[in-house]
Amino acid sequence: MNAKLKSFLDTLSERDDLKVEAKADLKKFSTIKLTGIAPVVIIKSVEAASFFIKEANKEAIPFHIIGLGSNQLLESTENFIYCKFFVPRSEMPEYSESQEFFSFSASTPITKITKMAVTHGLKGWEVFTGVPASLGGAIAMNAGTNLGEIGDLVKSVTLIDSNGEVLEKELSSHDFSYRKNLFLKKGELIVEAKLKNLGTDPEIPKKIEDYMELRNKTQPLWERNCGCTFKNYEKEGVRFPAGKYIDLIGLKGFSLNNVKISDLHGNFFINEGDANKKDFIEFIDGVQLYLERNYGIPFEIEVKTE
Ligand code: EPU
């Protein structure tokens, strides 16, 4: 590791609200558990986030933000830092019918927010059922299901900009597109978010339960994966699901270098052993080319590769 990065990590270690692991085992930081070792910094408060981003930019230290690591491929490095915003014991908002919105720390797991939706029957909140992400990560990629997308529910986010300033940004549907946000600049970090209270609907708990049941039947959620590998392709309002086309072409179950296409769902790729990021990317690139050659469909990669 170069001396500048080492000295930066040493400075960070002096704060109680930053946890530094100079040689972290990256398997702990993603659901696909790819093999790798890299510096990881856990940011435990909004103040620490502001300090970290300001200082890293001042010193020109590159960093990559990771959430729950369910949609990310991490690699061994000594040249940049992976940082993760995780506020321990962050509180859930109190429910009140008359409230226009509810505020959450960006590190709140989506599963916890879904539980709140079930308890109170929150209308529209079924759209992120089963998304294996933190709230911040889910907003950054406009995560969703075939019930809808989280972008439709976000009133505003509080983020840290590249100068370390804390800003609140009101958002609308123009700030999102399919599996993408259009408002975050590189290196900005979401630390809090407000989700809209659209009222209640007694059908919500059942909708969420049914959806989870379906998802458990059709997706290999217990295996080491990173969700859907490719985005579904859309043209002139027609959606071409990547999983369906991978299935049709007979690739389900195919494996190479410890990476396998799930037998259950064609768009889920499994780490069967000690695969690293390079093995995974080579595998994805091969499948992408094969799909394009056979169907002429340019499926884009959904999982974050940087
Ligand atoms: N299909 C097959 N074979 C397969 C997989 C799917 O024929 O191996 C068919 C299904 O029968 C269905 C169609 O393809 O007719 C679509 O499949 P599915 O309902 O499983 O949904 P998907 O389009 O593959 C999307 C999201 C998922 C989300 C599910 C369920 C994307 C890229 N994927 O998958 O999100 O969980 O809907 O709501 O938009 C993710 O983004 O990481 C993700 C997993």
Side-chain angles (χ1 to χ4, degrees), residues 71 141 144-147 178-179 211 215 218-219 226-232 239 241-244 247 252 264-268 302:
N71 193 44
M141 67 162 293
T145 59
N146 47 24
L147 302 176
Y178 173 56
R179 296 293 184 269
Y211 181 78
R215 198 163 164 149
T218 57
Q219 300 181 358
C226 50
C228 283
T229 309
F230 296 105
K231 295 180 186 180
N232 290 335
R239 185 161 278 196
K244 179 176 174 177
D247 190 355
K252 272 162 88 173
L264 199 57
H265 194 298
N267 205 6
F268 278 70
E302 169 175 318

PDB file of all heavy atoms in Angstrom, residues 71 141 144-147 178-179 211 215 218-219 226-232 239 241-244 247 252 264-268 302, ligand 1:
ATOM      1  N   ASN A  71     -25.384  -5.958  -4.632  1.00  0.00           N
ATOM      2  CA  ASN A  71     -25.429  -5.734  -6.076  1.00  0.00           C
ATOM      3  C   ASN A  71     -24.063  -5.265  -6.565  1.00  0.00           C
ATOM      4  O   ASN A  71     -23.955  -4.499  -7.501  1.00  0.00           O
ATOM      5  CB  ASN A  71     -26.506  -4.671  -6.363  1.00  0.00           C
ATOM      6  CG  ASN A  71     -26.853  -4.588  -7.816  1.00  0.00           C
ATOM      7  OD1 ASN A  71     -27.015  -5.610  -8.475  1.00  0.00           O
ATOM      8  ND2 ASN A  71     -26.919  -3.377  -8.346  1.00  0.00           N
ATOM      9  N   MET A 141     -29.703   2.891  -6.646  1.00  0.00           N
ATOM     10  CA  MET A 141     -29.907   2.142  -7.913  1.00  0.00           C
ATOM     11  C   MET A 141     -31.389   2.045  -8.293  1.00  0.00           C
ATOM     12  O   MET A 141     -31.766   1.272  -9.165  1.00  0.00           O
ATOM     13  CB  MET A 141     -29.291   0.761  -7.831  1.00  0.00           C
ATOM     14  CG  MET A 141     -29.959  -0.168  -6.865  1.00  0.00           C
ATOM     15  SD  MET A 141     -29.534  -1.895  -7.192  1.00  0.00           S
ATOM     16  CE  MET A 141     -30.313  -2.185  -8.777  1.00  0.00           C
ATOM     17  N   GLY A 144     -36.037  -2.137  -7.372  1.00  0.00           N
ATOM     18  CA  GLY A 144     -37.469  -2.400  -7.461  1.00  0.00           C
ATOM     19  C   GLY A 144     -37.733  -3.855  -7.745  1.00  0.00           C
ATOM     20  O   GLY A 144     -36.825  -4.683  -7.745  1.00  0.00           O
ATOM     21  N   THR A 145     -38.995  -4.106  -7.962  1.00  0.00           N
ATOM     22  CA  THR A 145     -39.438  -5.459  -8.279  1.00  0.00           C
ATOM     23  C   THR A 145     -40.457  -5.279  -9.396  1.00  0.00           C
ATOM     24  O   THR A 145     -40.654  -4.154  -9.863  1.00  0.00           O
ATOM     25  CB  THR A 145     -40.154  -6.068  -7.054  1.00  0.00           C
ATOM     26  OG1 THR A 145     -41.275  -5.213  -6.747  1.00  0.00           O
ATOM     27  CG2 THR A 145     -39.246  -6.153  -5.852  1.00  0.00           C
ATOM     28  N   ASN A 146     -41.126  -6.374  -9.778  1.00  0.00           N
ATOM     29  CA  ASN A 146     -42.150  -6.123 -10.793  1.00  0.00           C
ATOM     30  C   ASN A 146     -43.418  -5.477 -10.216  1.00  0.00           C
ATOM     31  O   ASN A 146     -44.384  -5.246 -10.918  1.00  0.00           O
ATOM     32  CB  ASN A 146     -42.447  -7.358 -11.656  1.00  0.00           C
ATOM     33  CG  ASN A 146     -42.634  -8.582 -10.809  1.00  0.00           C
ATOM     34  OD1 ASN A 146     -42.982  -8.455  -9.636  1.00  0.00           O
ATOM     35  ND2 ASN A 146     -42.397  -9.753 -11.365  1.00  0.00           N
ATOM     36  N   LEU A 147     -43.364  -5.085  -8.930  1.00  0.00           N
ATOM     37  CA  LEU A 147     -44.475  -4.315  -8.337  1.00  0.00           C
ATOM     38  C   LEU A 147     -44.236  -2.810  -8.470  1.00  0.00           C
ATOM     39  O   LEU A 147     -45.135  -2.010  -8.242  1.00  0.00           O
ATOM     40  CB  LEU A 147     -44.631  -4.659  -6.851  1.00  0.00           C
ATOM     41  CG  LEU A 147     -44.876  -6.134  -6.494  1.00  0.00           C
ATOM     42  CD1 LEU A 147     -44.912  -6.328  -4.986  1.00  0.00           C
ATOM     43  CD2 LEU A 147     -46.186  -6.607  -7.114  1.00  0.00           C
ATOM     44  N   TYR A 178     -34.979   3.490 -14.882  1.00  0.00           N
ATOM     45  CA  TYR A 178     -34.964   2.068 -14.538  1.00  0.00           C
ATOM     46  C   TYR A 178     -33.601   1.659 -13.964  1.00  0.00           C
ATOM     47  O   TYR A 178     -32.583   1.772 -14.640  1.00  0.00           O
ATOM     48  CB  TYR A 178     -35.318   1.251 -15.792  1.00  0.00           C
ATOM     49  CG  TYR A 178     -35.177  -0.245 -15.656  1.00  0.00           C
ATOM     50  CD1 TYR A 178     -35.854  -0.946 -14.661  1.00  0.00           C
ATOM     51  CD2 TYR A 178     -34.387  -0.972 -16.535  1.00  0.00           C
ATOM     52  CE1 TYR A 178     -35.728  -2.314 -14.552  1.00  0.00           C
ATOM     53  CE2 TYR A 178     -34.259  -2.343 -16.435  1.00  0.00           C
ATOM     54  CZ  TYR A 178     -34.929  -3.013 -15.434  1.00  0.00           C
ATOM     55  OH  TYR A 178     -34.790  -4.382 -15.328  1.00  0.00           O
ATOM     56  N   ARG A 179     -33.594   1.244 -12.706  1.00  0.00           N
ATOM     57  CA  ARG A 179     -32.399   0.784 -11.987  1.00  0.00           C
ATOM     58  C   ARG A 179     -31.270   1.816 -11.966  1.00  0.00           C
ATOM     59  O   ARG A 179     -30.092   1.478 -12.004  1.00  0.00           O
ATOM     60  CB  ARG A 179     -31.862  -0.536 -12.583  1.00  0.00           C
ATOM     61  CG  ARG A 179     -32.795  -1.694 -12.464  1.00  0.00           C
ATOM     62  CD  ARG A 179     -32.985  -2.115 -11.005  1.00  0.00           C
ATOM     63  NE  ARG A 179     -33.811  -3.298 -10.914  1.00  0.00           N
ATOM     64  CZ  ARG A 179     -35.135  -3.273 -10.780  1.00  0.00           C
ATOM     65  NH1 ARG A 179     -35.791  -2.138 -10.708  1.00  0.00           N
ATOM     66  NH2 ARG A 179     -35.827  -4.402 -10.691  1.00  0.00           N
ATOM     67  N   TYR A 211     -45.791 -11.986  -2.332  1.00  0.00           N
ATOM     68  CA  TYR A 211     -44.655 -11.667  -3.181  1.00  0.00           C
ATOM     69  C   TYR A 211     -43.391 -12.362  -2.673  1.00  0.00           C
ATOM     70  O   TYR A 211     -42.609 -12.913  -3.445  1.00  0.00           O
ATOM     71  CB  TYR A 211     -44.447 -10.151  -3.244  1.00  0.00           C
ATOM     72  CG  TYR A 211     -43.295  -9.812  -4.126  1.00  0.00           C
ATOM     73  CD1 TYR A 211     -43.441  -9.830  -5.506  1.00  0.00           C
ATOM     74  CD2 TYR A 211     -42.048  -9.567  -3.588  1.00  0.00           C
ATOM     75  CE1 TYR A 211     -42.365  -9.593  -6.325  1.00  0.00           C
ATOM     76  CE2 TYR A 211     -40.973  -9.327  -4.387  1.00  0.00           C
ATOM     77  CZ  TYR A 211     -41.126  -9.339  -5.758  1.00  0.00           C
ATOM     78  OH  TYR A 211     -40.056  -9.119  -6.564  1.00  0.00           O
ATOM     79  N   ARG A 215     -41.070 -15.043  -4.601  1.00  0.00           N
ATOM     80  CA  ARG A 215     -39.639 -14.793  -4.771  1.00  0.00           C
ATOM     81  C   ARG A 215     -38.803 -15.970  -4.232  1.00  0.00           C
ATOM     82  O   ARG A 215     -37.833 -16.383  -4.843  1.00  0.00           O
ATOM     83  CB  ARG A 215     -39.300 -13.497  -4.040  1.00  0.00           C
ATOM     84  CG  ARG A 215     -38.012 -12.939  -4.507  1.00  0.00           C
ATOM     85  CD  ARG A 215     -37.852 -11.501  -4.132  1.00  0.00           C
ATOM     86  NE  ARG A 215     -36.443 -11.204  -4.307  1.00  0.00           N
ATOM     87  CZ  ARG A 215     -35.968 -10.041  -4.651  1.00  0.00           C
ATOM     88  NH1 ARG A 215     -36.769  -9.041  -4.864  1.00  0.00           N
ATOM     89  NH2 ARG A 215     -34.679  -9.866  -4.790  1.00  0.00           N
ATOM     90  N   THR A 218     -38.908 -18.709  -6.833  1.00  0.00           N
ATOM     91  CA  THR A 218     -38.345 -18.523  -8.174  1.00  0.00           C
ATOM     92  C   THR A 218     -36.901 -18.014  -8.198  1.00  0.00           C
ATOM     93  O   THR A 218     -36.302 -17.917  -9.252  1.00  0.00           O
ATOM     94  CB  THR A 218     -39.212 -17.532  -8.989  1.00  0.00           C
ATOM     95  OG1 THR A 218     -39.294 -16.297  -8.242  1.00  0.00           O
ATOM     96  CG2 THR A 218     -40.607 -18.055  -9.245  1.00  0.00           C
ATOM     97  N   GLN A 219     -36.355 -17.619  -7.018  1.00  0.00           N
ATOM     98  CA  GLN A 219     -34.983 -17.079  -7.002  1.00  0.00           C
ATOM     99  C   GLN A 219     -34.124 -17.826  -5.970  1.00  0.00           C
ATOM    100  O   GLN A 219     -34.614 -18.131  -4.881  1.00  0.00           O
ATOM    101  CB  GLN A 219     -35.016 -15.581  -6.655  1.00  0.00           C
ATOM    102  CG  GLN A 219     -35.824 -14.761  -7.652  1.00  0.00           C
ATOM    103  CD  GLN A 219     -35.833 -13.273  -7.335  1.00  0.00           C
ATOM    104  OE1 GLN A 219     -35.263 -12.844  -6.342  1.00  0.00           O
ATOM    105  NE2 GLN A 219     -36.483 -12.502  -8.193  1.00  0.00           N
ATOM    106  N   CYS A 226     -25.647 -12.101  -6.554  1.00  0.00           N
ATOM    107  CA  CYS A 226     -25.768 -10.643  -6.396  1.00  0.00           C
ATOM    108  C   CYS A 226     -27.030 -10.146  -7.090  1.00  0.00           C
ATOM    109  O   CYS A 226     -27.023  -9.126  -7.782  1.00  0.00           O
ATOM    110  CB  CYS A 226     -24.524  -9.943  -6.922  1.00  0.00           C
ATOM    111  SG  CYS A 226     -24.069 -10.463  -8.557  1.00  0.00           S
ATOM    112  N   GLY A 227     -28.109 -10.895  -6.916  1.00  0.00           N
ATOM    113  CA  GLY A 227     -29.380 -10.481  -7.522  1.00  0.00           C
ATOM    114  C   GLY A 227     -29.322 -10.681  -9.033  1.00  0.00           C
ATOM    115  O   GLY A 227     -28.545 -11.506  -9.527  1.00  0.00           O
ATOM    116  N   CYS A 228     -30.132  -9.938  -9.735  1.00  0.00           N
ATOM    117  CA  CYS A 228     -30.153 -10.083 -11.189  1.00  0.00           C
ATOM    118  C   CYS A 228     -28.869  -9.514 -11.791  1.00  0.00           C
ATOM    119  O   CYS A 228     -28.457  -8.406 -11.449  1.00  0.00           O
ATOM    120  CB  CYS A 228     -31.375  -9.384 -11.772  1.00  0.00           C
ATOM    121  SG  CYS A 228     -32.859 -10.365 -11.535  1.00  0.00           S
ATOM    122  N   THR A 229     -28.275 -10.284 -12.683  1.00  0.00           N
ATOM    123  CA  THR A 229     -26.992  -9.874 -13.274  1.00  0.00           C
ATOM    124  C   THR A 229     -27.201  -8.820 -14.357  1.00  0.00           C
ATOM    125  O   THR A 229     -26.473  -7.832 -14.433  1.00  0.00           O
ATOM    126  CB  THR A 229     -26.296 -11.113 -13.888  1.00  0.00           C
ATOM    127  OG1 THR A 229     -26.271 -12.123 -12.894  1.00  0.00           O
ATOM    128  CG2 THR A 229     -24.889 -10.786 -14.338  1.00  0.00           C
ATOM    129  N   PHE A 230     -28.206  -9.055 -15.211  1.00  0.00           N
ATOM    130  CA  PHE A 230     -28.482  -8.110 -16.297  1.00  0.00           C
ATOM    131  C   PHE A 230     -29.784  -7.364 -16.031  1.00  0.00           C
ATOM    132  O   PHE A 230     -30.698  -7.891 -15.393  1.00  0.00           O
ATOM    133  CB  PHE A 230     -28.626  -8.857 -17.633  1.00  0.00           C
ATOM    134  CG  PHE A 230     -27.367  -9.557 -18.076  1.00  0.00           C
ATOM    135  CD1 PHE A 230     -27.251 -10.934 -17.962  1.00  0.00           C
ATOM    136  CD2 PHE A 230     -26.297  -8.848 -18.585  1.00  0.00           C
ATOM    137  CE1 PHE A 230     -26.087 -11.589 -18.362  1.00  0.00           C
ATOM    138  CE2 PHE A 230     -25.127  -9.486 -18.985  1.00  0.00           C
ATOM    139  CZ  PHE A 230     -25.024 -10.853 -18.866  1.00  0.00           C
ATOM    140  N   LYS A 231     -29.863  -6.150 -16.578  1.00  0.00           N
ATOM    141  CA  LYS A 231     -31.148  -5.440 -16.578  1.00  0.00           C
ATOM    142  C   LYS A 231     -32.025  -6.102 -17.625  1.00  0.00           C
ATOM    143  O   LYS A 231     -31.496  -6.624 -18.629  1.00  0.00           O
ATOM    144  CB  LYS A 231     -30.945  -3.978 -16.997  1.00  0.00           C
ATOM    145  CG  LYS A 231     -30.125  -3.183 -16.020  1.00  0.00           C
ATOM    146  CD  LYS A 231     -29.969  -1.762 -16.513  1.00  0.00           C
ATOM    147  CE  LYS A 231     -29.020  -1.002 -15.620  1.00  0.00           C
ATOM    148  NZ  LYS A 231     -28.812   0.374 -16.012  1.00  0.00           N
ATOM    149  N   ASN A 232     -33.306  -6.053 -17.431  1.00  0.00           N
ATOM    150  CA  ASN A 232     -34.191  -6.493 -18.506  1.00  0.00           C
ATOM    151  C   ASN A 232     -34.107  -5.446 -19.614  1.00  0.00           C
ATOM    152  O   ASN A 232     -33.884  -4.269 -19.346  1.00  0.00           O
ATOM    153  CB  ASN A 232     -35.623  -6.638 -17.992  1.00  0.00           C
ATOM    154  CG  ASN A 232     -35.759  -7.826 -17.040  1.00  0.00           C
ATOM    155  OD1 ASN A 232     -34.994  -8.774 -17.106  1.00  0.00           O
ATOM    156  ND2 ASN A 232     -36.731  -7.754 -16.145  1.00  0.00           N
ATOM    157  N   ARG A 239     -40.951  -5.426 -22.815  1.00  0.00           N
ATOM    158  CA  ARG A 239     -39.849  -5.816 -21.922  1.00  0.00           C
ATOM    159  C   ARG A 239     -39.371  -7.225 -22.263  1.00  0.00           C
ATOM    160  O   ARG A 239     -40.161  -8.144 -22.427  1.00  0.00           O
ATOM    161  CB  ARG A 239     -40.329  -5.757 -20.469  1.00  0.00           C
ATOM    162  CG  ARG A 239     -39.221  -6.030 -19.492  1.00  0.00           C
ATOM    163  CD  ARG A 239     -39.544  -5.532 -18.108  1.00  0.00           C
ATOM    164  NE  ARG A 239     -39.272  -4.105 -17.971  1.00  0.00           N
ATOM    165  CZ  ARG A 239     -39.181  -3.477 -16.802  1.00  0.00           C
ATOM    166  NH1 ARG A 239     -39.343  -4.138 -15.700  1.00  0.00           N
ATOM    167  NH2 ARG A 239     -38.933  -2.185 -16.754  1.00  0.00           N
ATOM    168  N   PRO A 241     -37.205  -9.999 -20.608  1.00  0.00           N
ATOM    169  CA  PRO A 241     -36.500 -10.353 -19.367  1.00  0.00           C
ATOM    170  C   PRO A 241     -35.235 -11.173 -19.658  1.00  0.00           C
ATOM    171  O   PRO A 241     -35.297 -12.200 -20.344  1.00  0.00           O
ATOM    172  CB  PRO A 241     -37.517 -11.200 -18.606  1.00  0.00           C
ATOM    173  CG  PRO A 241     -38.809 -11.071 -19.337  1.00  0.00           C
ATOM    174  CD  PRO A 241     -38.485 -10.720 -20.741  1.00  0.00           C
ATOM    175  N   ALA A 242     -34.096 -10.710 -19.129  1.00  0.00           N
ATOM    176  CA  ALA A 242     -32.819 -11.389 -19.377  1.00  0.00           C
ATOM    177  C   ALA A 242     -32.903 -12.862 -18.949  1.00  0.00           C
ATOM    178  O   ALA A 242     -32.442 -13.748 -19.675  1.00  0.00           O
ATOM    179  CB  ALA A 242     -31.715 -10.668 -18.630  1.00  0.00           C
ATOM    180  N   GLY A 243     -33.513 -13.114 -17.761  1.00  0.00           N
ATOM    181  CA  GLY A 243     -33.582 -14.480 -17.235  1.00  0.00           C
ATOM    182  C   GLY A 243     -34.296 -15.415 -18.197  1.00  0.00           C
ATOM    183  O   GLY A 243     -33.890 -16.566 -18.397  1.00  0.00           O
ATOM    184  N   LYS A 244     -35.332 -14.928 -18.813  1.00  0.00           N
ATOM    185  CA  LYS A 244     -36.121 -15.754 -19.743  1.00  0.00           C
ATOM    186  C   LYS A 244     -35.271 -16.136 -20.962  1.00  0.00           C
ATOM    187  O   LYS A 244     -35.274 -17.286 -21.400  1.00  0.00           O
ATOM    188  CB  LYS A 244     -37.346 -14.956 -20.174  1.00  0.00           C
ATOM    189  CG  LYS A 244     -38.231 -15.660 -21.152  1.00  0.00           C
ATOM    190  CD  LYS A 244     -39.456 -14.828 -21.425  1.00  0.00           C
ATOM    191  CE  LYS A 244     -40.286 -15.457 -22.518  1.00  0.00           C
ATOM    192  NZ  LYS A 244     -41.524 -14.700 -22.741  1.00  0.00           N
ATOM    193  N   ASP A 247     -32.590 -18.621 -20.123  1.00  0.00           N
ATOM    194  CA  ASP A 247     -33.251 -19.919 -19.970  1.00  0.00           C
ATOM    195  C   ASP A 247     -33.528 -20.527 -21.357  1.00  0.00           C
ATOM    196  O   ASP A 247     -33.131 -21.667 -21.642  1.00  0.00           O
ATOM    197  CB  ASP A 247     -34.571 -19.676 -19.202  1.00  0.00           C
ATOM    198  CG  ASP A 247     -35.251 -20.954 -18.758  1.00  0.00           C
ATOM    199  OD1 ASP A 247     -34.772 -22.048 -19.116  1.00  0.00           O
ATOM    200  OD2 ASP A 247     -36.282 -20.851 -18.065  1.00  0.00           O
ATOM    201  N   LYS A 252     -29.059 -22.257 -18.377  1.00  0.00           N
ATOM    202  CA  LYS A 252     -29.239 -22.467 -16.931  1.00  0.00           C
ATOM    203  C   LYS A 252     -28.423 -23.688 -16.496  1.00  0.00           C
ATOM    204  O   LYS A 252     -28.407 -24.706 -17.180  1.00  0.00           O
ATOM    205  CB  LYS A 252     -30.718 -22.647 -16.597  1.00  0.00           C
ATOM    206  CG  LYS A 252     -31.389 -21.306 -16.342  1.00  0.00           C
ATOM    207  CD  LYS A 252     -32.867 -21.381 -16.435  1.00  0.00           C
ATOM    208  CE  LYS A 252     -33.530 -21.757 -15.141  1.00  0.00           C
ATOM    209  NZ  LYS A 252     -34.999 -21.651 -15.232  1.00  0.00           N
ATOM    210  N   LEU A 264     -32.413 -22.323 -11.101  1.00  0.00           N
ATOM    211  CA  LEU A 264     -33.761 -21.848 -10.786  1.00  0.00           C
ATOM    212  C   LEU A 264     -34.139 -20.619 -11.612  1.00  0.00           C
ATOM    213  O   LEU A 264     -35.258 -20.508 -12.120  1.00  0.00           O
ATOM    214  CB  LEU A 264     -33.781 -21.492  -9.292  1.00  0.00           C
ATOM    215  CG  LEU A 264     -35.106 -21.394  -8.594  1.00  0.00           C
ATOM    216  CD1 LEU A 264     -35.883 -22.689  -8.734  1.00  0.00           C
ATOM    217  CD2 LEU A 264     -34.871 -21.092  -7.104  1.00  0.00           C
ATOM    218  N   HIS A 265     -33.215 -19.671 -11.739  1.00  0.00           N
ATOM    219  CA  HIS A 265     -33.510 -18.405 -12.433  1.00  0.00           C
ATOM    220  C   HIS A 265     -32.307 -18.001 -13.287  1.00  0.00           C
ATOM    221  O   HIS A 265     -31.202 -17.830 -12.767  1.00  0.00           O
ATOM    222  CB  HIS A 265     -33.813 -17.316 -11.393  1.00  0.00           C
ATOM    223  CG  HIS A 265     -34.447 -16.087 -11.983  1.00  0.00           C
ATOM    224  ND1 HIS A 265     -33.817 -15.304 -12.920  1.00  0.00           N
ATOM    225  CD2 HIS A 265     -35.660 -15.511 -11.790  1.00  0.00           C
ATOM    226  CE1 HIS A 265     -34.603 -14.297 -13.263  1.00  0.00           C
ATOM    227  NE2 HIS A 265     -35.743 -14.411 -12.589  1.00  0.00           N
ATOM    228  N   GLY A 266     -32.532 -17.838 -14.576  1.00  0.00           N
ATOM    229  CA  GLY A 266     -31.441 -17.598 -15.519  1.00  0.00           C
ATOM    230  C   GLY A 266     -30.652 -16.319 -15.303  1.00  0.00           C
ATOM    231  O   GLY A 266     -29.511 -16.206 -15.763  1.00  0.00           O
ATOM    232  N   ASN A 267     -31.237 -15.339 -14.599  1.00  0.00           N
ATOM    233  CA  ASN A 267     -30.515 -14.065 -14.437  1.00  0.00           C
ATOM    234  C   ASN A 267     -29.749 -14.017 -13.112  1.00  0.00           C
ATOM    235  O   ASN A 267     -29.207 -12.984 -12.739  1.00  0.00           O
ATOM    236  CB  ASN A 267     -31.502 -12.894 -14.541  1.00  0.00           C
ATOM    237  CG  ASN A 267     -30.829 -11.609 -14.989  1.00  0.00           C
ATOM    238  OD1 ASN A 267     -29.642 -11.588 -15.336  1.00  0.00           O
ATOM    239  ND2 ASN A 267     -31.570 -10.517 -14.970  1.00  0.00           N
ATOM    240  N   PHE A 268     -29.726 -15.116 -12.376  1.00  0.00           N
ATOM    241  CA  PHE A 268     -28.956 -15.167 -11.120  1.00  0.00           C
ATOM    242  C   PHE A 268     -27.708 -16.009 -11.346  1.00  0.00           C
ATOM    243  O   PHE A 268     -27.813 -17.177 -11.750  1.00  0.00           O
ATOM    244  CB  PHE A 268     -29.794 -15.802  -9.990  1.00  0.00           C
ATOM    245  CG  PHE A 268     -30.733 -14.837  -9.338  1.00  0.00           C
ATOM    246  CD1 PHE A 268     -31.836 -14.362 -10.025  1.00  0.00           C
ATOM    247  CD2 PHE A 268     -30.519 -14.391  -8.043  1.00  0.00           C
ATOM    248  CE1 PHE A 268     -32.721 -13.460  -9.430  1.00  0.00           C
ATOM    249  CE2 PHE A 268     -31.388 -13.493  -7.439  1.00  0.00           C
ATOM    250  CZ  PHE A 268     -32.493 -13.025  -8.136  1.00  0.00           C
ATOM    251  N   GLU A 302     -26.560  -5.181 -14.818  1.00  0.00           N
ATOM    252  CA  GLU A 302     -27.207  -4.429 -13.718  1.00  0.00           C
ATOM    253  C   GLU A 302     -26.292  -4.330 -12.506  1.00  0.00           C
ATOM    254  O   GLU A 302     -26.233  -3.306 -11.826  1.00  0.00           O
ATOM    255  CB  GLU A 302     -28.510  -5.124 -13.302  1.00  0.00           C
ATOM    256  CG  GLU A 302     -29.053  -4.529 -12.005  1.00  0.00           C
ATOM    257  CD  GLU A 302     -30.399  -5.076 -11.565  1.00  0.00           C
ATOM    258  OE1 GLU A 302     -31.283  -5.259 -12.409  1.00  0.00           O
ATOM    259  OE2 GLU A 302     -30.564  -5.309 -10.363  1.00  0.00           O
TER     260      GLU A 302
HETATM  261  N1  EPU B   1     -38.212 -16.536 -16.732  1.00  0.00           N
HETATM  262  C1  EPU B   1     -37.915 -17.704 -17.358  1.00  0.00           C
HETATM  263  N2  EPU B   1     -36.815 -18.406 -16.945  1.00  0.00           N
HETATM  264  C2  EPU B   1     -36.011 -17.980 -15.933  1.00  0.00           C
HETATM  265  C3  EPU B   1     -36.308 -16.768 -15.310  1.00  0.00           C
HETATM  266  C4  EPU B   1     -37.424 -16.054 -15.711  1.00  0.00           C
HETATM  267  O1  EPU B   1     -38.598 -18.115 -18.301  1.00  0.00           O
HETATM  268  O2  EPU B   1     -35.020 -18.671 -15.637  1.00  0.00           O
HETATM  269  C5  EPU B   1     -39.402 -15.795 -17.153  1.00  0.00           C
HETATM  270  C6  EPU B   1     -40.484 -15.785 -16.065  1.00  0.00           C
HETATM  271  O3  EPU B   1     -41.308 -16.934 -16.146  1.00  0.00           O
HETATM  272  C7  EPU B   1     -41.225 -14.509 -16.357  1.00  0.00           C
HETATM  273  C8  EPU B   1     -40.148 -13.580 -16.889  1.00  0.00           C
HETATM  274  O4  EPU B   1     -39.075 -14.413 -17.319  1.00  0.00           O
HETATM  275  O5  EPU B   1     -42.165 -14.712 -17.395  1.00  0.00           O
HETATM  276  C9  EPU B   1     -39.675 -12.578 -15.830  1.00  0.00           C
HETATM  277  O6  EPU B   1     -39.136 -13.307 -14.733  1.00  0.00           O
HETATM  278  P1  EPU B   1     -39.340 -12.866 -13.202  1.00  0.00           P
HETATM  279  O7  EPU B   1     -40.780 -12.667 -12.923  1.00  0.00           O
HETATM  280  O8  EPU B   1     -38.561 -13.809 -12.382  1.00  0.00           O
HETATM  281  O9  EPU B   1     -38.726 -11.424 -13.122  1.00  0.00           O
HETATM  282  P2  EPU B   1     -37.391 -10.801 -13.714  1.00  0.00           P
HETATM  283  O10 EPU B   1     -37.802  -9.827 -14.767  1.00  0.00           O
HETATM  284  O11 EPU B   1     -36.417 -11.855 -14.103  1.00  0.00           O
HETATM  285  C10 EPU B   1     -37.408  -8.793 -12.049  1.00  0.00           C
HETATM  286  C11 EPU B   1     -36.315  -8.015 -11.328  1.00  0.00           C
HETATM  287  C12 EPU B   1     -35.924  -8.732 -10.055  1.00  0.00           C
HETATM  288  C13 EPU B   1     -37.150  -8.915  -9.172  1.00  0.00           C
HETATM  289  C14 EPU B   1     -38.151  -9.746  -9.998  1.00  0.00           C
HETATM  290  C15 EPU B   1     -39.430 -10.039  -9.265  1.00  0.00           C
HETATM  291  C16 EPU B   1     -34.868  -7.003 -13.036  1.00  0.00           C
HETATM  292  C17 EPU B   1     -33.596  -7.127 -13.795  1.00  0.00           C
HETATM  293  N3  EPU B   1     -35.140  -8.010 -12.193  1.00  0.00           N
HETATM  294  O12 EPU B   1     -36.822 -10.035 -12.450  1.00  0.00           O
HETATM  295  O13 EPU B   1     -35.006  -7.900  -9.368  1.00  0.00           O
HETATM  296  O14 EPU B   1     -36.813  -9.589  -7.992  1.00  0.00           O
HETATM  297  O15 EPU B   1     -38.507  -8.997 -11.170  1.00  0.00           O
HETATM  298  O16 EPU B   1     -40.079  -8.840  -8.918  1.00  0.00           O
HETATM  299  O17 EPU B   1     -35.592  -6.018 -13.202  1.00  0.00           O
HETATM  300  C18 EPU B   1     -32.702  -7.464  -9.120  1.00  0.00           C
HETATM  301  O18 EPU B   1     -32.945  -6.374  -9.634  1.00  0.00           O
HETATM  302  O19 EPU B   1     -31.557  -7.777  -8.704  1.00  0.00           O
HETATM  303  C19 EPU B   1     -33.766  -8.428  -9.047  1.00  0.00           C
HETATM  304  C20 EPU B   1     -33.555  -9.654  -8.660  1.00  0.00           C
END
